Amino acid sequence: MKNIVILIFITIATAFCVNAAQSENKIVSLKLLHSMSKKELGEYWKSKKIPKFIMSAKYDVDVYEIVYKAPWVDGTEINASGLYFVPKATNEEKLPVFVYHHGTQLEKKRKSLDESPEQSLALSMAADGYYTLMPDYYGMGEGDGMHLYHHVWSQAMSTIHMLYAMDELNARMSITRLNDIYLGGYSQGGHATMSAHKYLQEMNDPRYHVIASAPLSGAFDLSGVQSEVLSRSYPSPFYLPYLLVGFQDAYQYHEGNVYEIFQAPYDSLIPQYLNGTYTANEFNSILPDVPVDVLKPEYISQLKNSESVISTMIAENDNYDWIPEAPTLFCYCMSDEQVSPMNSIKAYETMKANGAKHLYKKNISNELGHLSCAAFAITEMKFFFNNIREGRSKVTKGDSLKRRMIAIYKSKKEKEYVAKQKEKQRLQMDGLRAEVQ
């Protein structure tokens, strides 16, 4: 009953926040971080060894950090933050908007441009002629509160209210844009992309019309396909405590200190590693390989009971059983060891069965893992968006020469990745033999 009441409250709060007039007085603070000419952009990508055929520069770009007002789960107001990459178009030009949803990040502090390939991607989209947003998500960057990991509503709100803040800044700078919105992201960013797409579609605000979306390698079926990794050895066990601690702020599902659900010594270790200063690798290093082993037995039982409060709460953030109206591209890699490719396949098949007409899916590689898959999935997204923007009928095709060059590069990376995995397995076997001897 408590869970149902919370869900009803969130639904009412969401309706109020989305339908209220939100386009004015959103910005709390504004900072210009970078101003880069086309020449400087070319030199920057060259320094990163990024080929010109992948990233070109049609526009100079300014990069702003925006701190903006957004609704919290209880109806109060918090600060959220993100980056706005502004192509310097002429007054006569109208450009579309692209929102990039970044992948999982444990550290609260946003990385610098030089440290972040995802910011480089956002920069390239702006240079190619998209007003580009990169929300930090609630609780990240310069925002308030705890990050609600894989929480559909807050992910959508971070995008929607940053769109409002963008328009407030655009008005100050006399920028007139197209109402066309493109949405993309990888991993958690794929789940967040799906969240934003669904809520923007339901808003039906002509200022924010979703033209296309690319939710890449996301954990769309949290309670089903993705939950299967919890009871076996898994390379990123921190995902589970990150999810359960954040969801406490959203749902208040545990009466008392949420860290009581973890068995010793994790009940005292986990709070230290969720203070926003540790990396994912550092957090993973103190956790058991099997994610559920951090929990007390009674909470493991709740995870396995589909009718329990915890399982119901997680299922409320599954994000695939609806009908997207805009063209939607799913990309994945079959050897993804972190986010099962079946998440994308199930989402595609469910939406297709629901009646969605413009769905596309692509297996990027049979060999690449989660991190090595990302660059190629994102490149496919860029082809997809540009094809739609330029009115091509075959939206999943693209420049054949560029595709051949990317295929050659991908083949090289696949061989390197497979060799690295074999070497890793060999070292593990050598270690086991040493233990036996």
Side-chain angles (χ1 to χ4, degrees):
M1 176 61 72
K2 180 180 177 182
N3 200 48
I4 294 173
V5 170
I6 291 171
L7 178 60
I8 291 171
F9 172 80
I10 288 176
T11 303
I12 293 171
T14 298
F16 172 80
C17 293
V18 170
N19 291 323
Q22 296 289 347
S23 297
E24 298 178 356
N25 302 318
K26 300 297 296 182
I27 295 176
V28 175
S29 67
L30 182 67
K31 184 189 296 183
L32 177 64
L33 300 180
H34 307 283
S35 187
M36 302 177 76
S37 67
K38 288 183 284 186
K39 181 180 179 181
E40 289 170 330
L41 287 166
E43 292 171 350
Y44 171 75
W45 287 320
K46 185 178 180 180
S47 73
K48 297 295 181 183
K49 299 181 180 179
I50 300 173
K52 285 184 179 180
F53 75 89
I54 292 179
M55 292 185 179
S56 58
K58 299 177 184 175
Y59 296 90
D60 300 341
V61 177
D62 287 339
V63 185
Y64 292 90
E65 176 189 78
I66 303 178
V67 178
Y68 57 96
K69 298 175 186 176
W72 185 240
V73 293
D74 61 359
T76 60
E77 198 169 60
I78 62 166
N79 288 343
S81 65
L83 299 178
Y84 182 22
F85 299 78
V86 186
K88 293 184 179 178
T90 65
N91 292 334
E92 292 74 30
E93 291 178 285
K94 286 189 178 182
L95 304 177
V97 176
F98 169 60
V99 185
Y100 181 73
H101 302 89
H102 68 74
T104 299
Q105 181 179 321
L106 195 61
E107 313 99 295
K108 178 179 174 66
K109 184 179 178 181
R110 186 193 313 113
K111 294 179 180 179
S112 69
L113 177 61
D114 283 339
E115 298 172 314
S116 173
E118 291 185 295
Q119 288 184 43
S120 291
L121 163 70
L123 188 64
S124 78
M125 294 296 283
D128 201 30
Y130 294 83
Y131 292 111
T132 300
L133 298 181
M134 190 172 169
D136 289 321
Y137 305 136
Y138 282 11
M140 306 300 286
E142 300 300 317
D144 299 329
M146 176 75 185
H147 177 44
L148 310 181
Y149 187 50
H150 272 79
H151 183 243
V152 168
W153 180 84
S154 64
Q155 288 175 157
M157 290 302 107
S158 69
T159 291
I160 290 168
H161 288 265
M162 193 172 185
L163 284 167
Y164 297 148
M166 172 197 71
D167 277 342
E168 183 181 336
L169 180 56
N170 285 352
R172 295 183 192 179
M173 298 191 296
S174 300
I175 291 174
T176 304
R177 62 170 179 84
L178 294 175
N179 293 334
D180 299 353
I181 308 293
Y182 293 79
L183 303 169
Y186 187 85
S187 194
Q188 182 190 0
H191 188 269
T193 295
M194 197 86 95
S195 306
H197 188 169
K198 186 173 187 292
Y199 273 82
L200 285 168
Q201 181 172 299
E202 290 172 352
M203 279 171 55
N204 196 30
D205 187 329
R207 297 173 300 170
Y208 310 105
H209 176 57
V210 179
I211 297 296
S213 143
L216 311 171
S217 296
F220 311 117
D221 188 17
L222 285 173
S223 68
V225 168
Q226 194 59 29
S227 69
E228 295 171 6
V229 307
L230 299 179
S231 299
R232 61 174 186 254
S233 182
Y234 182 66
S236 292
F238 87 92
Y239 287 164
L240 181 60
Y242 199 21
L243 182 88
L244 293 178
V245 172
F247 274 20
Q248 174 69 4
D249 274 18
Y251 294 95
Q252 297 297 310
Y253 65 91
H254 179 74
E255 295 183 3
N257 186 334
V258 69
Y259 297 102
E260 295 170 351
I261 72 176
F262 303 109
Q263 62 176 319
Y266 307 112
D267 56 345
S268 59
L269 287 174
I270 288 173
Q272 301 172 43
Y273 283 84
L274 283 178
N275 67 5
T277 64
Y278 287 89
T279 67
N281 287 338
E282 289 170 331
F283 194 8
N284 281 330
S285 71
I286 60 98
L287 296 174
D289 290 341
V290 177
V292 295
D293 287 351
V294 300
L295 296 170
K296 291 177 178 176
E298 58 266 36
Y299 295 100
I300 296 176
S301 298
Q302 282 200 40
L303 271 180
K304 294 178 179 179
N305 177 3
S306 62
E307 296 183 359
S308 72
V309 170
I310 287 180
S311 291
T312 302
M313 170 186 70
I314 292 173
E316 285 171 4
N317 292 278
D318 290 343
N319 200 7
Y320 63 90
D321 194 2
W322 55 286
I323 306 174
E325 295 170 359
T328 302
L329 173 68
F330 295 97
C331 292
Y332 51 90
C333 283
M334 291 305 295
S335 293
D336 192 323
E337 76 289 1
Q338 295 191 38
V339 179
S340 169
M342 290 308 300
N343 281 284
S344 295
I345 294 168
K346 184 173 182 179
Y348 172 87
E349 291 177 347
T350 302
M351 290 176 163
K352 197 90 170 173
N354 287 345
K357 298 185 185 303
H358 306 289
L359 296 181
Y360 307 88
K361 65 181 173 73
K362 182 162 187 175
N363 172 20
I364 297 296
S365 169
N366 288 325
E367 285 81 26
L368 295 177
H370 188 65
L371 295 179
S372 53
C373 183
F376 300 102
I378 288 169
T379 301
E380 197 65 41
M381 173 196 75
K382 199 166 187 294
F383 276 127
F384 182 62
F385 289 164
N386 285 344
N387 286 341
I388 289 174
R389 186 178 175 185
E390 293 166 15
R392 297 193 183 103
S393 57
K394 295 183 178 180
V395 296
T396 57
K397 300 300 180 182
D399 188 297
S400 58
L401 177 59
K402 285 185 180 180
R403 285 190 174 276
R404 285 197 296 272
M405 295 174 74
I406 290 169
I408 292 168
Y409 182 65
K410 183 174 72 173
S411 178
K412 177 184 175 183
K413 289 298 178 182
E414 286 173 335
K415 290 175 182 176
E416 290 175 355
Y417 181 77
V418 169
K420 185 177 180 181
Q421 294 305 109
K422 286 181 178 178
E423 177 64 11
K424 185 178 178 181
Q425 291 171 1
R426 186 188 68 77
L427 292 172
Q428 289 174 340
M429 290 302 297
D430 286 348
L432 289 172
R433 290 191 191 100
E435 287 180 17
V436 171
Q437 293 172 356

